[in-house]
Amino acid sequence: MGEPEPVDLIHLADADGDRCIVRVTGRYQPGILTGHDTLRADVLVSTSFLDARLELYLLQRDLSVWEHELEGLVPGGNAGIGGDRGLELGIRLNEDQSICVTIHDPDRLSTFFWIRPQDNWIQDHRVRLDRLQQFWPSEVIETAPMVYEWSPDRRH
């Protein structure tokens, strides 16, 4: 059985053609305990002045933070994903319901731009998160502090 199809965790677009998509494409290290639940994602940005594809790695706690921040997002509020390990994507909901998107990738670029998404974008993103968690569930119960490779030649 192969990996599921890519899933868009974030898909913000407007009538002017500006867009910001976070597309989860797979597990970082499938089958390896310490990297199995880390998800690989592409951040796709297209505006009148920028066309970029950047890498983002998401931990389960990133998804939990995103869910919490999305639930409480009100005009003047912020939500974001990533940041402590590289690329950070942030959104600020403005009073006029437009969104200021900021992207900071320490190795590549820092930028911001505005998008005016559809009115139901927050509900849509809750559904996207649920879908992502169905297709890419957390599977690692607990990581061991130290893993030894057992060998029949070793005497323990």
Side-chain angles (χ1 to χ4, degrees):
M1 185 166 126
E3 297 243 331
E5 291 293 316
V7 174
D8 289 354
L9 173 63
I10 297 173
H11 192 115
L12 298 168
D14 64 19
D16 294 332
D18 297 328
R19 67 183 171 109
C20 179
I21 298 169
V22 175
R23 181 167 293 151
V24 176
T25 58
R27 296 189 187 277
Y28 171 56
Q29 295 177 316
I32 297 175
L33 186 64
T34 55
H36 184 76
D37 275 353
T38 302
L39 300 176
R40 283 188 334 262
D42 292 328
V43 178
L44 308 167
V45 179
S46 181
T47 68
S48 61
F49 62 89
L50 176 67
D51 194 17
R53 179 180 172 268
L54 305 164
E55 293 179 339
L56 176 64
Y57 295 91
L58 299 169
L59 303 175
Q60 293 301 313
R61 72 173 177 251
D62 295 323
L63 301 178
S64 296
V65 167
W66 173 247
E67 179 178 30
H68 176 74
E69 290 180 351
L70 197 58
E71 287 295 323
L73 192 60
V74 295
N78 298 297
I81 199 158
D84 59 344
R85 295 169 315 283
L87 186 140
E88 179 178 13
L89 185 144
I91 61 172
R92 177 173 179 79
L93 180 59
N94 299 311
E95 296 292 333
D96 67 356
Q97 300 302 306
S98 67
I99 297 172
C100 178
V101 178
T102 60
I103 297 175
H104 176 69
D105 184 339
D107 297 330
R108 296 187 184 169
L109 75 103
S110 291
T111 191
F112 67 93
F113 54 94
W114 281 266
I115 290 181
R116 183 175 288 283
Q118 296 177 350
D119 292 338
N120 66 342
W121 75 270
I122 291 178
Q123 178 61 27
D124 175 57
H125 281 77
R126 288 181 190 131
V127 171
R128 289 177 182 284
L129 178 60
D130 289 343
R131 183 169 180 245
L132 175 77
Q133 291 170 330
Q134 289 174 1
F135 284 106
W136 303 98
S138 174
E139 295 177 347
V140 176
I141 304 301
E142 181 179 351
T143 57
M146 187 176 292
V147 178
Y148 292 99
E149 182 177 317
W150 184 81
S151 163
D153 299 328
R154 273 197 184 151
R155 305 277 188 241
H156 295 282

